[in-house]
Amino acid sequence: MLGRVGLPSRVGLIAPVLWLLALPGFAQEPAASAPTISVCGQQVAAPRTQPPSGSGPVVLFIAPCFEAQGGTSVIEPQTYLYYIQLKASTPATTGTWVPYDETAVKTIGEDFHRLWNTNFLDNLWVDTTDYTFPNGVIGKIVSYHMEERQRVKIVEFVGSKKVETAKIDEKLKEANAQIRLDSFIDPGLVRKVTGIVREMLKEKGFRDAEVTPDIKEIQGGPKLVHLTFHMDEGPKVKIRKLDFVGNTAVSDRRLKRLMKENKEQWWLSFISGRGTYQEVKFDEDVEKVIEYYQARGYIKIVVGAPDIKVVGDSSDKKTRWVELRVPIDEGPRYKVGAFTVAGNTVVKTDALASLFKLKPGEYYSIKNVRKGLEKAREIYGSGGYFEFTGFPDYKFSDDPNVLDPAAPAAIEAVAPVQPATGSATVASRGASAAIVS
């Protein structure tokens, strides 16, 4: 016997039902002597006829119910009836009484999954109630309780003068994250949009910006909502001082010039906008610093996350001053020790090696490697090998020799791997490097 099947409710509203499925064979107005039956919160007349005495339970009513949203549905009720395969008894038209048996119970379970998989619903449960005919036969009233998902009627972005709605729309379109009107509310999409808008505010220098989505129901129909993204910019973060810690080979002055997006404020900042902390673009600045070092032999350069110290706010609280301390581990400076090319079968080794301006005894430069790879890609492409790829594979002279028996036990020897077809190899200071393509 099936009592109730359902999923945890995510939204709860209670209101009288206004719509009820009417089935032929049952009185529309109850006779004075006939009892009434409660279906979806409404009283309907008891059936005029009854099953044969001694019959097992029968399916009396099938009722899609929308009590949780005021008794009305956004989607046509007939659409839901399409997914409900359970059949009710029709004694007046066909003389048929549908048994409520194991097959009916199985069909109800399948109906549940069909309805839920439409993705129209936010909550669904099925329950049954009993009506006892005068002859003692049990009639089952099967109610499909449904609460539809909210639909977006209005979308707004409010609270910021620096980030325009048109720019937000463009960004959301690029990220395939637009919230379309009359679409179902998607919590995952709302979170994605919230994150995108927050990053846009950070790009404008509002590091502590907050974006809060607010969903409010509106008049005009059930489950229609007004979705508002409230943007709280907070103070704009400005860099008063930019410091580098750990650098000895390259001066602070040179490193500051490499930082294109994050610079200290100066006396013309009110015109140029210079000095705004661009947290989102900090990694781009780091890449420029790393490239500068690696072009001069510092292959193992590491630039850490900045230490941010708040030094004060402006009197109007619209600006927050910070000091940035960027840790740097330059590592050793490497020279080319040996240079080889491996894995190539189409282009000769000597021809490929000549493309890379790497000479033994000179400081290693990643810039020369990249230029060599670009030229190699052009050569392979002209021969129809458009999927050519290459990368340097290094062997440093100051690394422990993993084949040496005296090496620490934690370092295990790794068997050499045969390079793939079309690969090349490079090297440095006591360092060796391989470019695999």
Side-chain angles (χ1 to χ4, degrees):
M1 178 177 183
L2 181 66
R4 175 177 173 131
V5 180
L7 294 180
S9 174
R10 291 192 288 271
V11 180
L13 298 173
I14 302 297
V17 68
L18 300 178
W19 179 88
L20 175 66
L21 173 65
L23 296 176
F26 302 98
Q28 299 304 310
E29 294 295 335
S33 59
T36 59
I37 305 172
S38 177
V39 182
C40 295
Q42 285 188 344
Q43 297 298 315
V44 297
R48 295 191 181 106
T49 58
Q50 55 185 333
S53 298
S55 300
V58 295
V59 180
L60 182 57
F61 277 123
I62 297 173
C65 300
F66 299 93
E67 292 177 277
Q69 57 188 57
T72 59
S73 62
V74 176
I75 296 172
E76 287 294 329
Q78 292 298 326
T79 300
Y80 293 110
L81 289 177
Y82 171 80
Y83 294 99
I84 297 175
Q85 299 298 306
L86 182 67
K87 303 303 179 184
S89 300
T90 55
T93 56
T94 65
T96 302
W97 292 97
V98 177
Y100 184 84
D101 52 16
E102 290 184 3
T103 299
V105 172
K106 180 181 178 183
T107 302
I108 292 173
E110 292 171 348
D111 287 345
F112 177 90
H113 290 291
R114 277 189 289 268
L115 289 167
W116 187 254
N117 289 337
T118 62
N119 216 27
F120 298 157
L121 303 174
D122 201 36
N123 192 22
L124 168 65
W125 72 93
V126 183
D127 63 21
T128 61
T129 55
D130 292 349
Y131 166 75
T132 304
F133 287 90
N135 63 2
V137 176
I138 301 298
K140 292 288 187 178
I141 302 167
V142 183
S143 301
Y144 295 80
H145 298 274
M146 290 176 275
E147 185 175 355
E148 295 170 308
R149 292 171 60 189
Q150 294 175 315
R151 286 176 178 262
V152 180
K153 188 69 174 178
I154 302 172
V155 182
E156 281 189 311
F157 299 90
V158 300
S160 175
K161 295 181 179 179
K162 299 297 183 181
V163 179
E164 300 174 355
T165 299
K167 296 295 183 182
I168 294 175
D169 290 338
E170 290 177 10
K171 196 73 171 181
L172 296 181
K173 187 175 181 179
E174 292 174 5
N176 194 26
Q178 292 173 293
I179 298 178
R180 304 185 185 279
L181 299 184
D182 203 37
S183 64
F184 289 118
I185 279 286
D186 182 343
L189 181 57
V190 171
R191 287 193 296 270
K192 183 176 181 180
V193 171
T194 300
I196 291 172
V197 176
R198 186 185 297 116
E199 291 302 308
M200 292 181 70
L201 289 168
K202 286 185 177 180
E203 288 179 2
K204 293 293 185 180
F206 300 103
R207 178 174 176 265
D208 300 318
E210 292 291 338
V211 180
T212 306
D214 181 36
I215 301 174
K216 290 184 178 179
E217 293 195 8
I218 60 176
Q219 295 180 350
K223 312 301 283 188
L224 298 179
V225 298
H226 184 163
L227 175 57
T228 305
F229 291 88
H230 295 278
M231 298 177 284
D232 180 7
E233 295 174 339
K236 176 170 279 193
V237 179
K238 297 281 189 177
I239 303 172
R240 175 161 289 175
K241 185 178 181 182
L242 176 60
D243 239 345
F244 295 89
V245 181
N247 55 306
T248 56
V250 182
S251 68
D252 278 18
R253 184 177 181 182
R254 168 57 63 182
L255 293 176
K256 288 178 181 180
R257 288 179 179 176
L258 295 172
M259 304 281 284
K260 300 300 182 183
E261 303 295 340
N262 290 274
K263 293 181 175 292
E264 293 172 329
Q265 193 171 43
W266 67 326
W267 66 282
L268 287 178
S269 290
F270 70 96
I271 298 176
S272 65
R274 168 176 163 163
T276 300
Y277 176 47
Q278 305 275 7
E279 181 179 5
V280 177
K281 297 182 178 180
F282 183 80
D283 286 345
E284 296 178 16
D285 285 340
V286 168
E287 285 301 317
K288 293 182 177 67
V289 171
I290 290 175
E291 185 174 349
Y292 183 85
Y293 268 97
Q294 289 186 338
R296 287 155 181 78
Y298 295 91
I299 305 175
K300 296 183 178 181
I301 171 69
V302 175
V303 180
D307 177 33
I308 303 172
K309 180 182 177 182
V310 177
V311 295
D313 292 347
S314 62
S315 57
D316 59 5
K317 302 298 181 182
K318 292 184 178 181
T319 303
R320 176 162 294 165
W321 300 99
V322 298
E323 291 182 358
L324 259 61
R325 300 177 76 250
V326 182
I328 291 181
D329 182 2
E330 295 176 330
R333 189 180 188 188
Y334 291 93
K335 291 182 177 180
V336 177
F339 170 67
T340 58
V341 177
N344 51 305
T345 57
V346 177
V347 182
K348 291 183 178 181
T349 298
D350 290 345
L352 283 175
S354 65
L355 303 177
F356 298 89
K357 305 302 181 182
L358 297 173
K359 297 180 180 179
E362 293 184 350
Y363 287 110
Y364 174 84
S365 173
I366 189 66
K367 184 181 294 185
N368 291 341
V369 172
R370 290 174 179 168
K371 288 181 178 179
L373 287 173
E374 288 175 5
K375 293 177 181 177
R377 192 172 293 109
E378 291 175 2
I379 292 174
Y380 274 93
S382 64
Y385 294 87
F386 299 108
E387 296 184 2
F388 168 86
T389 57
F391 61 89
D393 183 17
Y394 304 106
K395 176 63 180 76
F396 299 97
S397 62
D398 52 354
D399 283 348
N401 184 356
V402 295
L403 299 177
D404 189 342
I411 301 178
E412 298 179 358
V414 180
V417 179
Q418 183 68 26
T421 301
S423 75
T425 308
V426 184
S428 22
R429 165 185 126 186
S432 300
I435 300 178
V436 180
S437 62

